[in-house]
Amino acid sequence: MELIDAAFPLLKGVVATTDVAEACKDVNIAVMVGGFPCKEGMERKDVMPKNVLIYKAQASALEKHAAPDCKVLVVANPANTNALILKEFTPSIPRKNITCLTRLDHNRALNQISERLDVHVSDVKNVIIWGNHSSTQYPDVNCATVTTSSGKKFVREIVADDKWLNSEFITTVQQRGDAIIKARKLSSALSAASSACDHIRDWVLGTPKDFKV
Ligand SMILES: NC(=O)C1=CN([C@@H]2O[C@H](COP(=O)(O)OP(=O)(O)OC[C@H]3O[C@@H](n4cnc5c(N)ncnc54)[C@H](O)[C@@H]3O)[C@@H](O)[C@H]2O)C=CC1
Ligand SMILES: O=C([O-])CC(=O)C(=O)O
């Protein structure tokens, strides 16, 4: 009902189903959120035994029923591993079309920098997340820039605190999912959904000029 009430201009209809074949039929973009969420104190890898089986079954349905050029975004954790499993069981879908959500980590990193510099987040660009959506990821600010009143500057130059950038900044981004779970007693929801929209929008339409994700 709320999807309809939101009057999304691109929404032509809603099919609510528990039939995996019906859910996957002719889909062009699949956002895979089904799975067991992390609880407080859990690492994302701790939900692997439950979620890996789900991804094998869902991949088989996508392989059979989705559009051949379907773009897939795996959100459920452990997101990289689930995406790898899904890739193994969807040989007909192009390899480059199987992705997982680390855009949330990217957005978190942009926001840590914007808070530190007291600038708007839209003025911070080009942070890169290397590695998995896990506590071992590496948020990289070496190419990141910030737009200031005297032009575009490198984040490292403006922050001028390598100790913070090389330690607390990195661990805050790495552990932000856990911090949200501690605060909400549930996984991130709005920021995760919004980041999934960012991921798909930029994938389909391309990133704006001079903007890397
Ligand atoms: N990559 C990222 O940045 C993020 C990943 N997550 C992950 O996304 C996943 C979903 O999180 P929430 O929406 O908070 O959890 P949730 O528990 O609210 O929703 C999960 C849904 O999966 C469904 N489900 C359970 N078993 C299933 C199965 N065998 N087949 C199909 N669907 C099944 C449940 O019925 C439920 O509706 C979790 O694994 C969570 O860790 C959450 C936030 C960010
Ligand atoms: O661990 C979770 O369930 C949620 C998550 O990935 C995040 O917020 O980064």
Side-chain angles (χ1 to χ4, degrees), residues 33-178:
V33 293
F36 193 79
C38 300
K39 303 281 181 218
E40 194 169 342
M42 286 168 90
E43 286 264 1
R44 293 167 185 123
K45 62 180 166 20
D46 296 333
V47 289
M48 198 179 296
K50 284 184 192 289
N51 287 348
V52 158
L53 289 175
I54 296 175
Y55 279 83
K56 190 174 166 199
Q58 297 206 345
S60 309
L62 281 173
E63 172 71 13
K64 275 200 210 116
H65 304 289
D69 62 347
C70 179
K71 288 180 164 57
V72 184
L73 170 61
V74 178
V75 175
N77 281 312
N80 300 76
T81 309
N82 291 339
L84 179 70
I85 290 160
L86 195 136
K87 180 164 85 77
E88 292 302 309
F89 291 94
T90 51
S92 307
I93 296 179
R95 311 298 68 197
K96 66 176 186 182
N97 283 15
I98 315 284
T99 64
C100 81
L101 189 69
T102 47
R103 182 64 181 261
L104 177 56
D105 306 295
H106 171 90
N107 289 345
R108 286 168 172 163
L110 295 180
N111 276 296
Q112 289 303 313
I113 301 291
S114 95
E115 282 194 346
R116 173 81 182 196
L117 295 175
D118 196 18
V119 297
H120 193 265
V121 69
S122 60
D123 290 329
V124 186
K125 292 194 174 68
N126 302 343
V127 173
I128 297 171
I129 303 293
W130 300 104
N132 284 331
H133 176 64
S134 76
S135 55
T136 58
Q137 67 178 264
Y138 177 67
D140 176 356
V141 293
N142 292 310
C143 298
T145 59
V146 56
T147 305
T148 69
S149 52
S150 50
K152 200 183 276 185
K153 309 271 185 204
F154 281 108
V155 161
R156 268 205 191 275
E157 187 189 324
I158 292 287
V159 170
D161 186 349
D162 277 350
K163 187 166 177 285
W164 180 78
L165 282 172
N166 294 340
S167 55
E168 196 185 327
F169 161 72
I170 292 177
T171 49
T172 301
V173 177
Q174 286 173 333
Q175 291 165 16
R176 186 72 171 177
D178 199 33

Side-chain angles (χ1 to χ4, degrees), residues 5-17:
D5 293 351
F8 292 117
L10 297 178
L11 185 68
K12 293 275 162 53
V14 177
V15 178
T17 179

